[in-house]
Amino acid sequence: MSQPPYIRPEFERELAPLRDLPVETPLPLGQRLWNQTWLRKSLILLLVLALWELAARVTQNDLMLPGVVQTMHALAEDMRNGELPEKIVNSFSTLLKGYLIGSVLALLASALAVTTQFGRDLLSTLTAMLNPLPAIALLPLALLWFGLGNVSLVFVLVHSVMWPIALNTWSGFSGVPETLRMAGRNYGLSGPRYVLTILIPASLPSILSGLKIGWAFAWRTLIAAELVFGASSGQGGLGWYIFQNRNELFTDRVFAGLVTVIVIGLLVEGVVFATLEKITIKRWGMQR
């Protein structure tokens, strides 16, 4: 006679509440400080400045490599007498013109490419031809066509900005999920409305990445063009400031100009674009 299967009795065991143990254990102070991004980057910056000052003291040649203190003194002096602020304003006024024009043209070209076959062929052909071409190589032609003036610089900046933004924007448009595309078509969206309401919000991370790359290209292209181009009507920018002080052997002011270029680049990257990403794609959960 077979035995019935053993059935384990069910029971409930009550556990004593853990009232005396903390719910959260705070991290050690050192780890909390190390988790701060600004602190880590500040330490890296201090290390770079210390190595710079050490190299200057070992070299002991102010003409070849001025120290950090000497460079900061020259920077503060030219900021106080108004020379550097004037150069910064001149550079930024030219930069914004070229950057805005190039960004608008890039967005229009990408929108044309995503809506028509001719636009796709046009964008792929032009980017393959012109994107590898250094912007500074077009400066002689710009001077020949437009003469000495800001128009030549703006032309070079538009070339440096347009293609990276167009490539990133087109890449973002191509990566939009098909479900979003179908939803837009079901609502009867087409043409500019389809691009503005569906494609641009969905591909905003790629667009912002292209804008950041375009900004970096434009900033270094402008400084290089001003080094070659010089000044028009006495209205030179930061590149002209560096070039002029190099000719006069004011190496500390040359380094002051380079530091200004770096600081402006860091501020635009870390404040303008970081804030734009924080209030858009990070807030919307599109980027960690």
Side-chain angles (χ1 to χ4, degrees), residues 37-48:
T37 303
W38 65 270
L39 181 60
R40 297 196 304 269
K41 292 184 177 181
S42 299
L43 291 176
I44 295 174
L45 180 60
L46 290 177
L47 178 61
V48 171

Side-chain angles (χ1 to χ4, degrees), residues 6-13:
Y6 174 75
I7 301 177
R8 187 178 61 182
E10 300 294 336
F11 63 94
E12 181 179 355
R13 178 179 297 176

Side-chain angles (χ1 to χ4, degrees), residues 8-30:
R8 187 178 61 182
E10 300 294 336
F11 63 94
E12 181 179 355
R13 178 179 297 176
E14 295 184 3
L15 299 177
L18 303 176
R19 295 189 177 92
D20 299 332
L21 295 179
V23 178
E24 295 180 355
T25 303
L27 295 174
L29 178 60

Side-chain angles (χ1 to χ4, degrees), residues 44-92:
I44 295 174
L45 180 60
L46 290 177
L47 178 61
V48 171
L49 294 177
L51 292 176
W52 176 8
E53 184 65 27
L54 178 62
R57 292 181 182 273
V58 171
T59 305
Q60 292 185 351
N61 188 343
D62 294 341
L63 183 62
M64 297 296 295
L65 183 62
V68 177
V69 177
Q70 186 177 356
T71 300
M72 293 299 107
H73 177 74
L75 178 64
E77 182 179 353
D78 283 352
M79 280 289 187
R80 186 169 53 252
N81 61 30
E83 184 175 1
L84 260 179
E86 179 185 358
K87 305 302 184 195
I88 293 173
V89 170
N90 291 338
S91 291
F92 251 91

Side-chain angles (χ1 to χ4, degrees), residues 160-222:
S160 67
V161 168
M162 183 174 177
W163 309 118
I165 296 180
L167 284 174
N168 278 269
T169 303
W170 167 246
S171 176
F173 286 170
S174 302
V176 175
E178 189 63 27
T179 53
L180 291 178
R181 298 173 180 270
M182 295 175 63
R185 296 190 188 100
N186 289 337
Y187 277 102
L189 300 177
S190 61
R193 291 182 61 198
Y194 174 69
V195 173
L196 291 175
T197 57
I198 299 295
L199 295 183
I200 289 183
S203 58
L204 195 56
S206 296
I207 296 175
L208 286 180
S209 177
L211 290 174
K212 290 167 66 175
I213 297 174
W215 149 258
F217 281 14
W219 186 229
R220 68 186 186 185
T221 298
L222 175 64

